[in-house]
Amino acid sequence: MERTLVKDTINKVGQTVTLKGWVNTKRDHSKIVFVDLRDRTGLIQIVGTGELLGSLKLEDVVSLKGLVKARPEKMINPELATGTVEIEALDLTVLSHSAELPIDMSKETLEVELPTLLDYRALSFRHPKIQAIFKVQAVVIDAFRKALMAKDFLEFQAPSIINAVPEGGSEVFKVDYFDHQAYLSQSPQLYKSLLTTAFERVFSVNQIFRAEPSATTRHLTEVTSLDAEFNFIDSVEEVLDMEEYVVRFIFKEVEERCAKELALFDATTPLMSEKFPIIKLRDAQEIIFQRTGRDCRTEKDLAPDDEREICAWAKEEKGSDLVFVSHFLTKKKPFYVYPDPANPEYAFSIDLLCRGVEWSSGGQRLHDYESILKNVHEWGLKEEEVALYLQAFKFGSPPLGGFALGAERITMYILGLKNVREASMFPRDMERIDVRLSTTKQ
Ligand code: ATP
Ligand code: MG
């Protein structure tokens, strides 16, 4: 008999159906047994005899023939999408047996520490709250794509193996590449920029790699980067406008498509003012000093406390969870950064912060070949390290800019997760590549 999905049972009262799924929960009253069966569309209550259902274990996979019955009024479960019906079990085949569960999956929120949860990652994916995280993430990524495709951007696949690290070498993984040294890409930056010189507007969704030597709650060693780059810009504001459009689009899609998931986390999308506020780094540092007495006014970057403080300021003073911070120090940024002609010490380099943390970096890039070449030398790079990049700009390039958002950070801060590892299906860090590395050491 053809499989009926759990969600469709509500329209099949009086019919005999075949359901396939996992035993989510079981209440055994010996003669009569209640099972909640789970498939990808939800849960449904099954009622059957002890003889038929009694030996079932949690997470066993079954094919079950049963009669769809309307529940009496007072037995309706408003918490369950299928709460108006239940299935009277008629016949059962166990397709696969589950081992005994190492963690209690019946809790509304899994009550295990994160390392344990990650030790049982494959199992944890079966929990509704864990599934909700990745549903939201899938919508974030889909919305990123949709927003840019609607603006005529072309998607490209950025390479992961690179032959040099002209963006700075401190956080890079080395790869044995036959007789050569290669690296894992920290960012598709150079590729997306050079592609604009042919395609004008490009974006990519791909993994980037950072050998982050510290264990923070917001750093992974493998990240899903949402990158966009485009040219024929008249000013850096066009880059900000595009990023703001994309971020608003993402929030709208998440609101429309993930209401249930947001509710599970008691989460709302970030507060937005009519336009995202923008503030220069030095002005932000002055405000932080005024507000807290902490003097970071000569620092080259915002420390985590500073990011939190400037977000608090934006919320209080501008009614926005989001804030752009611009004008980082030119010399502290990669060679392609575009200095502000009004004060070349600072650059059109712009971070987007939200809910206390950096979500993205972007800005305008140099497009003039001679200026790029000059910086390559000034930054102490070898021309051959950036040969392909130089080639792109040697043959003519309009003014360009772009931005990169971290998919895990967005997911984490939309849902209010405590650790970015929760927002990665398979988080990698210093201690873990699927399993705890201490357990695999020779
Ligand atoms: P941070 O200062 O927070 O370490 P970054 O400035 O090194 O970030 P960028 O190189 O600007 O990061 O990368 C662009 C975006 O990619 C970041 O704003 C963030 O959303 C995401 N990202 C970068 N590195 C990581 C990481 N190690 N783990 C998770 N997300 C990251
Ligand atoms: Mg950054």
Side-chain angles (χ1 to χ4, degrees):
M1 197 200 263
E2 201 186 324
R3 179 184 184 196
T4 296
L5 291 171
V6 160
K7 72 172 168 53
D8 296 329
T9 52
I10 49 174
N11 303 318
K12 300 208 168 182
V13 173
Q15 296 180 32
T16 300
V17 296
T18 296
L19 299 171
K20 294 184 183 185
W22 289 261
V23 174
N24 193 74
T25 42
K26 183 181 167 196
R27 292 175 299 286
D28 197 333
H29 304 290
S30 83
K31 281 214 168 98
I32 181 160
V33 175
F34 294 92
V35 162
D36 282 339
L37 188 78
R38 183 186 77 242
D39 72 11
R40 67 177 191 274
T41 67
L43 292 173
I44 178 120
Q45 176 163 284
I46 315 286
V47 193
T49 60
E51 201 184 334
L52 194 60
L53 305 181
S55 63
L56 284 178
K57 299 248 172 18
L58 297 182
E59 297 303 317
D60 280 351
V61 183
V62 302
S63 173
L64 179 131
K65 202 164 116 192
L67 177 65
V68 186
K69 296 169 91 173
R71 293 202 204 185
E73 191 80 36
K74 61 178 194 311
M75 302 297 281
I76 286 175
N77 180 356
E79 307 269 294
L80 212 57
T82 60
T84 54
V85 296
E86 65 181 9
I87 309 292
E88 184 187 319
L90 302 175
D91 196 15
L92 176 85
T93 311
V94 178
L95 300 176
S96 168
H97 291 283
S98 167
E100 198 171 323
L101 300 185
I103 52 180
D104 183 352
M105 297 286 285
S106 69
K107 298 276 192 274
E108 220 166 280
T109 299
L110 288 174
E111 290 173 5
V112 290
E113 299 292 327
L114 185 58
T116 308
L117 186 141
L118 294 176
D119 286 343
Y120 295 108
R121 196 41 154 170
L123 185 60
S124 79
F125 288 137
R126 301 182 186 189
H127 192 274
K129 250 182 122 169
I130 306 289
Q131 293 194 355
I133 296 172
F134 298 107
K135 167 87 189 291
V136 168
Q137 188 158 83
V139 170
V140 166
I141 292 171
D142 184 50
F144 175 77
R145 281 202 167 96
K146 271 194 182 149
L148 290 165
M149 282 177 170
K151 297 280 185 193
D152 210 19
F153 279 66
L154 177 82
E155 182 165 6
F156 75 99
Q157 280 67 48
S160 294
I161 300 172
I162 56 172
N163 69 357
V165 279
E167 290 203 76
S170 60
E171 296 168 355
V172 72
F173 287 110
K174 292 181 177 169
V175 177
D176 282 337
Y177 196 76
F178 307 106
D179 291 335
H180 303 274
Q181 177 78 76
Y183 307 89
L184 290 181
S185 174
Q186 300 159 291
S187 146
Q189 177 63 45
L190 299 184
Y191 296 96
K192 67 177 180 176
S193 285
L194 83 79
L195 284 174
T196 64
T197 68
F199 297 98
E200 293 192 19
R201 302 180 155 218
V202 296
F203 74 92
S204 69
V205 175
N206 58 270
Q207 301 307 97
I208 57 166
F209 306 88
R210 305 281 173 102
E212 306 276 2
S214 65
T216 76
T217 55
R218 59 199 194 136
H219 288 98
L220 298 159
T221 55
E222 183 168 348
V223 180
T224 307
S225 184
L226 311 178
D227 271 84
E229 195 88 351
F230 62 110
N231 59 17
F232 287 112
I233 59 171
D234 289 329
S235 70
V236 69
E237 279 75 35
E238 275 185 52
V239 181
L240 298 181
D241 288 347
M242 185 67 81
E243 179 163 13
E244 180 164 338
Y245 152 77
V246 168
V247 169
R248 284 180 189 274
F249 194 100
I250 290 174
F251 293 163
K252 192 168 134 288
E253 291 271 311
V254 168
E255 275 167 13
E256 285 175 7
R257 295 161 62 186
C258 302
K260 216 175 66 197
E261 288 74 19
L262 290 173
L264 272 181
F265 285 86
D266 211 5
T268 51
T269 51
L271 179 68
M272 290 181 284
S273 51
E274 202 171 314
K275 193 138 179 63
F276 296 175
I278 174 160
I279 184 164
K280 290 181 178 166
L281 173 71
R282 291 295 185 226
D283 295 339
Q285 290 169 325
E286 185 61 39
I287 287 172
I288 292 163
F289 178 63
Q290 298 300 333
R291 283 169 64 96
T292 66
R294 193 171 57 247
D295 194 354
C296 57
R297 290 175 293 181
T298 54
E299 297 292 330
K300 65 179 169 64
D301 205 348
L302 296 175
D305 277 351
D306 303 333
E307 292 186 344
R308 274 190 285 278
E309 192 57 38
I310 209 63
C311 284
W313 167 82
K315 190 160 189 173
E316 287 163 31
E317 300 295 326
K318 306 286 176 183
S320 174
D321 272 332
L322 295 118
V323 54
F324 282 120
V325 178
S326 72
H327 288 81
F328 289 85
L329 286 161
T330 303
K331 266 300 163 69
K332 297 292 176 189
K333 290 287 165 185
F335 70 94
Y336 49 75
V337 75
Y338 197 102
D340 183 349
N343 182 359
E345 203 188 323
Y346 297 97
F348 288 148
S349 150
I350 298 151
D351 283 3
L352 178 64
L353 275 54
C354 182
R355 291 185 169 166
V357 85
E358 179 191 317
W359 279 30
S360 119
S361 282
Q364 185 168 351
R365 334 288 185 190
L366 289 174
H367 61 279
D368 167 60
Y369 177 71
E370 295 303 332
S371 311
I372 298 173
L373 194 60
K374 187 166 145 275
N375 273 14
V376 165
H377 295 142
E378 250 179 60
W379 262 247
L381 303 168
K382 296 194 196 82
E383 278 184 45
E384 60 265 28
E385 288 178 350
V386 283
L388 214 54
Y389 192 78
L390 288 171
Q391 186 184 101
F393 292 89
K394 190 172 189 175
F395 298 109
S397 163
L400 75 158
F403 52 90
L405 290 145
E408 295 85 0
R409 288 247 179 115
I410 299 180
T411 312
M412 172 184 179
Y413 284 94
I414 286 180
L415 291 176
L417 306 177
K418 292 207 168 55
N419 195 310
V420 71
R421 287 159 186 77
E422 295 178 64
S424 169
M425 280 190 166
F426 305 104
R428 273 92 173 90
D429 61 28
M430 280 175 84
E431 307 287 333
R432 178 182 300 273
I433 302 176
D434 295 338
V435 295
R436 298 188 197 205
L437 293 176
S438 54
T439 63
T440 58
K441 268 200 188 119
Q442 301 296 314

